[in-house]
Amino acid sequence: MNFADMTAKMAAGNGFIAALDQSGGSTPKALAGYGVGEDAWSSEAEMFDLIHSMRERIITSPVFTGDKVIGAILFERTMDGTAGGKPVPAALIEKGVVPFIKIDKGLEAEENGVQLMKPMPELDALLARSKAMGVYGTKERSVINSADAAGIAAAVGQQFEIGRQVLAHGMMPILEPEVNIKSETRADCDAILLEEMLKNLEGMDQQVMLKLSLPVKSGTFDALVDHPKVLRVVALSGGYKRPEACVELSKNRGIIASFSRALLEDLRHQMSQAEFDASLGEAIDQIHRGSTQKI
Protein backbone atom coordinates (compact mmCIF):
# COMPACT_ATOMS: atom_id res chain seq x y z
CA MET A 1 0.00 0.00 0.00
CA ASN A 2 1.24 3.45 -0.88
CA PHE A 3 0.05 6.67 0.83
CA ALA A 4 -2.92 7.04 -1.53
CA ASP A 5 -3.96 3.44 -0.92
CA MET A 6 -3.75 3.97 2.84
CA THR A 7 -5.78 7.18 2.62
CA ALA A 8 -8.47 5.36 0.65
CA LYS A 9 -8.54 2.56 3.22
CA MET A 10 -8.84 5.04 6.09
CA ALA A 11 -11.60 6.97 4.30
CA ALA A 12 -13.82 4.03 3.45
CA GLY A 13 -12.36 0.87 4.97
CA ASN A 14 -14.95 -1.46 6.48
CA GLY A 15 -13.23 -2.07 9.81
CA PHE A 16 -11.55 -0.48 12.82
CA ILE A 17 -8.16 0.63 14.14
CA ALA A 18 -6.37 -1.40 16.81
CA ALA A 19 -4.60 0.70 19.46
CA LEU A 20 -1.39 -1.14 20.40
CA ASP A 21 0.31 1.93 21.82
CA GLN A 22 0.43 1.58 25.61
CA SER A 23 3.46 3.57 26.75
CA GLY A 24 5.64 3.46 29.87
CA GLY A 25 3.01 4.54 32.37
CA SER A 26 0.27 2.20 31.17
CA THR A 27 2.42 -0.82 30.28
CA PRO A 28 2.39 -2.50 33.75
CA LYS A 29 -1.42 -2.36 33.79
CA ALA A 30 -1.61 -3.76 30.27
CA LEU A 31 0.76 -6.59 31.20
CA ALA A 32 -1.21 -7.32 34.38
CA GLY A 33 -4.36 -7.65 32.30
CA TYR A 34 -2.45 -10.06 30.05
CA GLY A 35 -1.58 -12.19 33.09
CA VAL A 36 2.02 -11.00 33.51
CA GLY A 37 2.77 -9.63 36.98
CA GLU A 38 5.39 -7.03 37.89
CA ASP A 39 7.62 -9.78 39.32
CA ALA A 40 8.17 -10.95 35.72
CA TRP A 41 10.64 -8.12 34.96
CA SER A 42 13.44 -6.36 36.76
CA SER A 43 14.09 -3.46 34.38
CA GLU A 44 12.19 -1.18 32.02
CA ALA A 45 13.85 -2.90 29.05
CA GLU A 46 12.54 -6.30 30.20
CA MET A 47 9.07 -4.81 30.71
CA PHE A 48 9.01 -3.44 27.17
CA ASP A 49 10.27 -6.77 25.80
CA LEU A 50 7.29 -8.48 27.45
CA ILE A 51 4.74 -6.03 26.07
CA HIS A 52 6.36 -6.27 22.64
CA SER A 53 6.00 -10.06 22.75
CA MET A 54 2.27 -9.59 23.39
CA ARG A 55 1.95 -7.16 20.50
CA GLU A 56 3.94 -9.41 18.17
CA ARG A 57 1.64 -12.29 19.08
CA ILE A 58 -1.35 -10.13 18.13
CA ILE A 59 0.13 -8.79 14.89
CA THR A 60 1.26 -12.21 13.66
CA SER A 61 -2.02 -13.95 14.58
CA PRO A 62 -3.86 -15.25 11.51
CA VAL A 63 -7.06 -13.52 12.69
CA PHE A 64 -5.38 -10.08 12.71
CA THR A 65 -5.75 -9.00 9.09
CA GLY A 66 -6.68 -5.94 7.07
CA ASP A 67 -10.12 -7.37 6.34
CA LYS A 68 -11.46 -6.16 9.70
CA VAL A 69 -8.49 -4.34 11.28
CA ILE A 70 -7.79 -1.52 8.85
CA GLY A 71 -5.17 0.25 10.97
CA ALA A 72 -2.96 -0.13 14.05
CA ILE A 73 -1.47 2.54 16.33
CA LEU A 74 2.02 1.71 17.59
CA PHE A 75 4.21 2.79 20.47
CA GLU A 76 7.60 4.03 19.23
CA ARG A 77 9.44 1.00 20.61
CA THR A 78 6.95 -1.26 18.85
CA MET A 79 7.53 0.53 15.54
CA ASP A 80 11.25 -0.05 15.99
CA GLY A 81 10.78 -3.76 16.73
CA THR A 82 9.99 -6.75 14.56
CA ALA A 83 7.01 -9.05 14.10
CA GLY A 84 7.57 -12.40 12.46
CA GLY A 85 11.10 -11.34 11.60
CA LYS A 86 10.04 -8.19 9.74
CA PRO A 87 9.97 -4.54 10.85
CA VAL A 88 6.57 -4.00 12.47
CA PRO A 89 5.31 -1.35 9.98
CA ALA A 90 6.24 -3.63 7.08
CA ALA A 91 4.57 -6.62 8.75
CA LEU A 92 1.36 -4.63 9.18
CA ILE A 93 1.37 -3.28 5.63
CA GLU A 94 1.86 -6.80 4.29
CA LYS A 95 -1.36 -7.76 6.10
CA GLY A 96 -3.25 -4.77 4.72
CA VAL A 97 -3.17 -2.91 8.06
CA VAL A 98 -2.27 0.80 7.94
CA PRO A 99 0.41 1.73 10.55
CA PHE A 100 0.22 4.80 12.80
CA ILE A 101 2.53 5.90 15.63
CA LYS A 102 1.68 7.48 18.99
CA ILE A 103 3.73 10.68 19.19
CA ASP A 104 2.71 12.38 22.43
CA LYS A 105 5.06 12.14 25.42
CA GLY A 106 2.40 12.14 28.11
CA LEU A 107 0.29 14.77 29.82
CA GLU A 108 0.91 17.97 31.73
CA ALA A 109 -0.73 18.55 35.12
CA GLU A 110 -4.38 19.57 34.91
CA GLU A 111 -5.08 23.24 34.33
CA ASN A 112 -8.46 24.80 33.45
CA GLY A 113 -10.03 21.35 33.51
CA VAL A 114 -7.72 19.83 30.88
CA GLN A 115 -4.38 18.09 30.60
CA LEU A 116 -2.38 19.33 27.64
CA MET A 117 0.35 17.34 25.96
CA LYS A 118 3.91 17.69 27.20
CA PRO A 119 6.41 19.34 24.82
CA MET A 120 7.75 17.19 21.97
CA PRO A 121 11.13 18.74 21.06
CA GLU A 122 12.21 15.73 18.99
CA LEU A 123 8.96 15.39 17.05
CA ASP A 124 10.33 16.40 13.63
CA ALA A 125 13.04 13.75 13.83
CA LEU A 126 10.53 11.09 14.92
CA LEU A 127 8.16 11.99 12.09
CA ALA A 128 10.92 11.79 9.49
CA ARG A 129 12.07 8.41 10.81
CA SER A 130 8.53 7.03 11.04
CA LYS A 131 7.65 8.10 7.50
CA ALA A 132 10.83 6.47 6.19
CA MET A 133 9.65 3.19 7.78
CA GLY A 134 6.34 3.36 5.92
CA VAL A 135 4.21 4.67 8.79
CA TYR A 136 1.14 6.48 7.44
CA GLY A 137 0.10 8.67 10.33
CA THR A 138 0.27 9.66 13.98
CA LYS A 139 -1.87 9.82 17.11
CA GLU A 140 -1.66 12.39 19.90
CA ARG A 141 -3.70 12.44 23.12
CA SER A 142 -4.75 15.15 25.55
CA VAL A 143 -7.50 14.86 28.19
CA ILE A 144 -10.56 16.95 29.01
CA ASN A 145 -11.80 16.48 32.57
CA SER A 146 -14.37 19.25 32.96
CA ALA A 147 -16.42 21.69 30.88
CA ASP A 148 -14.08 24.67 31.04
CA ALA A 149 -14.43 26.54 27.74
CA ALA A 150 -10.96 28.12 27.91
CA GLY A 151 -9.31 24.83 28.81
CA ILE A 152 -11.03 22.91 26.03
CA ALA A 153 -10.15 25.63 23.52
CA ALA A 154 -6.50 25.36 24.58
CA ALA A 155 -6.52 21.55 24.27
CA VAL A 156 -8.09 21.61 20.82
CA GLY A 157 -5.81 24.41 19.67
CA GLN A 158 -2.74 22.43 20.73
CA GLN A 159 -4.06 19.34 18.93
CA PHE A 160 -4.42 21.24 15.67
CA GLU A 161 -1.03 22.91 16.06
CA ILE A 162 0.70 19.53 16.34
CA GLY A 163 -1.53 18.17 13.59
CA ARG A 164 -0.22 20.82 11.19
CA GLN A 165 3.34 19.83 12.07
CA VAL A 166 2.49 16.21 11.20
CA LEU A 167 0.82 17.21 7.93
CA ALA A 168 3.95 19.18 6.97
CA HIS A 169 5.82 15.86 7.00
CA GLY A 170 3.31 14.31 4.61
CA MET A 171 1.67 12.18 7.30
CA MET A 172 -1.92 11.90 8.56
CA PRO A 173 -2.57 13.07 12.14
CA ILE A 174 -5.18 11.52 14.41
CA LEU A 175 -6.14 14.28 16.86
CA GLU A 176 -7.31 12.87 20.21
CA PRO A 177 -8.75 15.35 22.73
CA GLU A 178 -10.20 12.64 24.99
CA VAL A 179 -13.18 13.52 27.19
CA ASN A 180 -12.89 11.66 30.49
CA ILE A 181 -16.01 9.44 30.61
CA LYS A 182 -16.06 9.83 34.41
CA SER A 183 -16.41 13.61 34.15
CA GLU A 184 -19.46 15.00 35.94
CA THR A 185 -19.85 17.55 33.13
CA ARG A 186 -19.29 15.13 30.28
CA ALA A 187 -22.25 16.17 28.10
CA ASP A 188 -21.20 19.82 28.36
CA CYS A 189 -17.62 18.79 27.51
CA ASP A 190 -18.93 17.09 24.35
CA ALA A 191 -20.80 20.25 23.30
CA ILE A 192 -17.87 22.61 23.87
CA LEU A 193 -15.48 20.18 22.19
CA LEU A 194 -17.70 19.95 19.11
CA GLU A 195 -17.83 23.74 18.83
CA GLU A 196 -14.05 24.09 19.14
CA MET A 197 -13.36 21.28 16.69
CA LEU A 198 -15.62 22.82 14.05
CA LYS A 199 -14.02 26.22 14.60
CA ASN A 200 -10.50 24.84 14.12
CA LEU A 201 -11.44 22.69 11.14
CA GLU A 202 -12.53 25.79 9.22
CA GLY A 203 -8.92 26.97 9.22
CA MET A 204 -7.54 23.73 7.77
CA ASP A 205 -6.61 23.22 4.14
CA GLN A 206 -5.86 19.50 4.57
CA GLN A 207 -7.79 16.62 6.09
CA VAL A 208 -7.17 15.20 9.55
CA MET A 209 -8.55 12.24 11.48
CA LEU A 210 -10.20 12.53 14.89
CA LYS A 211 -10.21 10.13 17.85
CA LEU A 212 -12.94 11.00 20.32
CA SER A 213 -14.60 9.57 23.41
CA LEU A 214 -18.01 8.06 22.72
CA PRO A 215 -20.49 10.92 23.35
CA VAL A 216 -23.17 11.00 26.03
CA LYS A 217 -25.80 11.70 23.37
CA SER A 218 -25.61 9.50 20.29
CA GLY A 219 -25.04 11.46 17.10
CA THR A 220 -23.40 14.42 18.86
CA PHE A 221 -20.42 14.25 16.50
CA ASP A 222 -22.34 13.77 13.23
CA ALA A 223 -21.15 17.18 12.00
CA LEU A 224 -17.55 16.01 12.40
CA VAL A 225 -18.25 12.72 10.62
CA ASP A 226 -19.66 14.70 7.68
CA HIS A 227 -17.03 17.46 7.65
CA PRO A 228 -15.00 17.65 4.41
CA LYS A 229 -11.77 18.29 6.37
CA VAL A 230 -12.21 15.08 8.41
CA LEU A 231 -11.00 11.88 6.77
CA ARG A 232 -12.44 9.60 9.49
CA VAL A 233 -13.71 9.77 13.06
CA VAL A 234 -12.69 6.96 15.37
CA ALA A 235 -13.63 6.33 18.99
CA LEU A 236 -11.70 5.21 22.04
CA SER A 237 -13.26 2.82 24.54
CA GLY A 238 -12.32 5.16 27.38
CA GLY A 239 -12.65 2.60 30.15
CA TYR A 240 -15.84 0.91 28.97
CA LYS A 241 -15.72 -2.88 28.86
CA ARG A 242 -15.87 -4.18 25.30
CA PRO A 243 -19.60 -5.17 25.16
CA GLU A 244 -20.71 -1.76 26.44
CA ALA A 245 -18.20 0.09 24.26
CA CYS A 246 -19.45 -1.73 21.16
CA VAL A 247 -23.09 -0.98 21.98
CA GLU A 248 -22.32 2.74 22.41
CA LEU A 249 -20.22 2.68 19.24
CA SER A 250 -23.05 1.13 17.23
CA LYS A 251 -25.30 4.10 18.13
CA ASN A 252 -23.00 6.59 16.36
CA ARG A 253 -23.08 6.51 12.58
CA GLY A 254 -19.85 6.87 10.65
CA ILE A 255 -17.63 6.36 13.71
CA ILE A 256 -15.37 3.31 13.91
CA ALA A 257 -13.45 1.94 16.87
CA SER A 258 -9.88 2.57 17.88
CA PHE A 259 -9.89 0.40 20.99
CA SER A 260 -6.98 -0.66 23.20
CA ARG A 261 -8.13 -2.20 26.50
CA ALA A 262 -11.45 -3.29 25.00
CA LEU A 263 -9.55 -5.20 22.30
CA LEU A 264 -7.06 -6.87 24.64
CA GLU A 265 -9.16 -7.49 27.75
CA ASP A 266 -9.69 -11.26 27.27
CA LEU A 267 -6.17 -12.13 26.06
CA ARG A 268 -3.85 -13.98 28.47
CA HIS A 269 -0.17 -14.86 28.30
CA GLN A 270 -0.93 -18.42 29.43
CA MET A 271 -3.27 -19.21 26.52
CA SER A 272 -2.29 -21.74 23.88
CA GLN A 273 -1.93 -20.23 20.42
CA ALA A 274 -5.29 -21.70 19.40
CA GLU A 275 -6.98 -20.21 22.47
CA PHE A 276 -5.28 -16.88 21.91
CA ASP A 277 -6.33 -16.70 18.26
CA ALA A 278 -9.92 -17.68 19.12
CA SER A 279 -10.18 -15.04 21.85
CA LEU A 280 -8.60 -12.33 19.68
CA GLY A 281 -10.83 -13.30 16.76
CA GLU A 282 -13.95 -12.99 18.93
CA ALA A 283 -12.87 -9.52 20.10
CA ILE A 284 -12.12 -8.42 16.53
CA ASP A 285 -15.50 -9.66 15.31
CA GLN A 286 -17.38 -7.86 18.09
CA ILE A 287 -15.56 -4.55 17.61
CA HIS A 288 -15.96 -4.85 13.83
CA ARG A 289 -19.72 -5.25 14.24
CA GLY A 290 -19.92 -2.17 16.47
CA SER A 291 -17.92 -0.22 13.90
CA THR A 292 -19.85 -1.29 10.81
CA GLN A 293 -23.37 -2.29 11.88
CA LYS A 294 -25.17 0.78 13.18
CA ILE A 295 -28.49 1.02 15.00
Side-chain angles (χ1 to χ4, degrees):
M1 293 187 290
N2 59 29
F3 190 87
D5 295 332
M6 294 183 191
T7 298
K9 186 150 198 172
M10 283 301 105
N14 197 28
F16 69 95
I17 297 174
L20 306 177
D21 60 337
Q22 299 91 349
S23 54
S26 55
T27 296
K29 188 173 181 180
L31 283 170
Y34 187 48
V36 179
E38 293 193 22
D39 58 350
W41 69 85
S42 57
S43 67
E44 186 180 77
E46 290 179 359
M47 178 185 75
F48 282 119
D49 284 345
L50 288 167
I51 198 75
H52 184 79
S53 294
M54 180 190 78
R55 291 168 178 156
E56 183 177 15
R57 197 177 185 190
I58 292 166
I59 292 166
T60 57
S61 171
V63 302
F64 191 89
T65 72
D67 293 335
K68 293 181 178 179
V69 184
I70 62 172
I73 303 169
L74 307 172
F75 181 48
E76 184 178 350
R77 284 176 181 249
T78 308
M79 178 187 76
D80 290 335
T82 60
K86 299 171 184 175
V88 168
L92 288 170
I93 292 168
E94 189 173 287
K95 284 193 155 198
V97 179
V98 176
F100 292 81
I101 182 172
K102 165 190 161 70
I103 57 173
D104 66 84
K105 301 301 181 184
L107 301 170
E108 300 277 21
E110 182 176 329
E111 186 175 348
N112 294 329
V114 304
Q115 290 174 272
L116 299 178
M117 295 177 283
K118 290 182 177 178
M120 306 174 215
E122 300 175 358
L123 180 56
D124 284 320
L126 175 60
L127 293 173
R129 191 163 63 84
S130 303
K131 185 174 175 60
M133 294 181 72
V135 174
Y136 170 73
T138 64
K139 194 231 36 172
E140 58 195 58
R141 172 180 174 262
S142 47
V143 174
I144 297 167
N145 292 310
S146 61
D148 184 299
I152 294 174
V156 174
Q158 185 191 42
Q159 286 282 340
F160 276 86
E161 179 185 358
I162 298 298
R164 289 186 182 91
Q165 189 174 353
V166 173
L167 287 165
H169 282 263
M171 300 178 75
M172 173 59 64
I174 301 178
L175 313 183
E176 184 187 9
E178 173 185 347
V179 173
N180 185 340
I181 66 167
K182 296 179 181 178
S183 171
E184 295 179 359
T185 56
R186 191 173 146 215
D188 292 332
C189 290
D190 288 345
I192 299 169
L193 175 63
L194 173 61
E195 182 181 352
E196 288 298 327
M197 296 295 277
L198 290 171
K199 190 186 303 180
N200 278 269
L201 283 166
E202 290 309 309
M204 297 297 292
D205 56 8
Q206 292 176 271
Q207 287 185 311
V208 296
M209 292 177 63
L210 307 177
K211 181 169 179 174
L212 307 174
S213 301
L214 290 159
V216 174
K217 182 182 177 183
S218 302
T220 293
F221 298 133
D222 283 357
L224 298 175
V225 171
D226 296 334
H227 202 287
K229 298 295 172 57
V230 177
L231 181 66
R232 202 78 184 257
V233 179
V234 306
L236 57 133
S237 54
Y240 285 124
K241 291 289 188 179
R242 185 170 66 247
E244 188 177 4
C246 289
V247 167
E248 291 302 312
L249 179 64
S250 69
K251 298 175 184 176
N252 289 274
R253 70 167 181 84
I255 300 181
I256 64 173
S258 177
F259 291 173
S260 175
R261 279 172 290 180
L263 173 64
L264 311 177
E265 63 188 32
D266 293 334
L267 302 179
R268 298 294 180 271
H269 171 70
Q270 297 84 356
M271 287 176 166
S272 68
Q273 193 59 45
E275 291 170 333
F276 184 90
D277 292 340
S279 182
L280 179 60
E282 183 178 337
I284 288 172
D285 288 346
Q286 189 174 10
I287 297 169
H288 181 263
R289 284 194 298 272
S291 296
T292 60
Q293 298 177 20
K294 302 298 182 175
I295 58 175

